[in-house]
Amino acid sequence: RVLEGLSMGTPLTLICAEEGMPSPKTIYNWMAEDEGLSSRIARAREAGFDRIAMEALEIADTPQEGVERTDTPDGPRIKRGDMLGHRRLQVETRLKLLAKWDPKRYGDKITQEISGPDGGPIQTVEEYRPTEADEAILLRIAAKRDEIRKSREAEEDAE
């Protein structure tokens, strides 16, 4: 019953809430003891996720007529039409759950690319070659450091 429920897309907590079913903790303990059961449950969950994805497609493809009632000063106003907002919520909820439950298959693929100047390769420390301007700055810094050091030494000698 557990495998059948999971393969239909029913969460384990709902399956275990049925009369006569073991608790989720018991199922997890069984899985820890039996690798075969664990892999069967994993396959059943994958099948259930695929079923949920198919449900999302079916909901998106099937209009649902609904009635929207609005009270106006002239009396109630009734509008019939596709419940697009409701269907959108149903689809988005399923897709978000699938992305959390099985991110490898149903999550958004996010990549990040880092490049150097003008899209070129990144310069590593070993590849860095200072320019003439860099060298000039480094020389001015070294000269200022030496100047400060000499000034401090002169102050210490004066004391």
Side-chain angles (χ1 to χ4, degrees), residues 54-64 87 90-91 94:
M54 290 304 298
E55 278 180 11
L57 284 173
E58 186 177 317
I59 292 166
D61 292 341
T62 309
Q64 292 179 343
R87 290 191 303 129
Q90 289 178 313
V91 169
R94 283 162 175 76

Side-chain angles (χ1 to χ4, degrees), residues 11 39 60 67 73-74 82 84 92 105 116 121 128 132 149-150:
S39 65
V67 176
D74 297 332
D82 185 13
L84 186 61
E92 286 179 8
R105 293 192 312 142
Y128 175 72
E132 287 183 29
R149 185 179 296 142
K150 287 179 185 177

